[in-house]
Amino acid sequence: MNGAVAAGVAGGIFFSIGDISTKVATQGGTRVAFVATLILGYTLGTALIQLGYQRGSALTVAGLSTLLTNALPIAAATIVLGEPVPSGAFGGVRVLAFSAVTVGALLLVRPDGK
């Protein structure tokens, strides 16, 4: 099971690298070079998640990879890329969505039958 967990975590991290790279590469100019990390991130992410599915519980692997695939790009957009959290209702919805993704993924990671 530890191999499945590791593959799920690594797959989610690589998928988030692909997502962040997509955002940066589509800004144009020299940032188009991020297409290389986009391809690498999605390719390795897919391979690792599939490996995790073969080694353990699909819900555990999916939960962990989904958590990292969604949470890391959201955090990176705010922290690394300087994208502000909107004020008012839109900011509240963004924070609520981030929290819902995190809680949902953690619930999926729980071991079977517990």
Side-chain angles (χ1 to χ4, degrees), residues 11 18-20 27 38 40-41 43 55 68 70 74 79 84 91 102 107:
D19 288 348
I20 295 163
Q27 293 175 353
L38 179 158
L40 184 67
T43 302
R55 292 187 174 176
L68 294 167
N70 289 292
I74 292 169
I79 297 166
T102 302
L107 289 172

Side-chain angles (χ1 to χ4, degrees), residues 34-63:
F34 278 88
V35 167
T37 56
L38 179 158
I39 293 168
L40 184 67
Y42 287 138
T43 302
L44 290 174
T46 300
L48 287 162
I49 289 171
Q50 291 302 318
L51 182 64
Y53 289 151
Q54 300 306 312
R55 292 187 174 176
S57 169
L59 284 179
T60 299
V61 173

Side-chain angles (χ1 to χ4, degrees), residues 61-82:
V61 173
L64 287 168
S65 63
T66 299
L67 171 61
L68 294 167
T69 298
N70 289 292
L72 291 178
I74 292 169
T78 302
I79 297 166
V80 177
L81 302 176

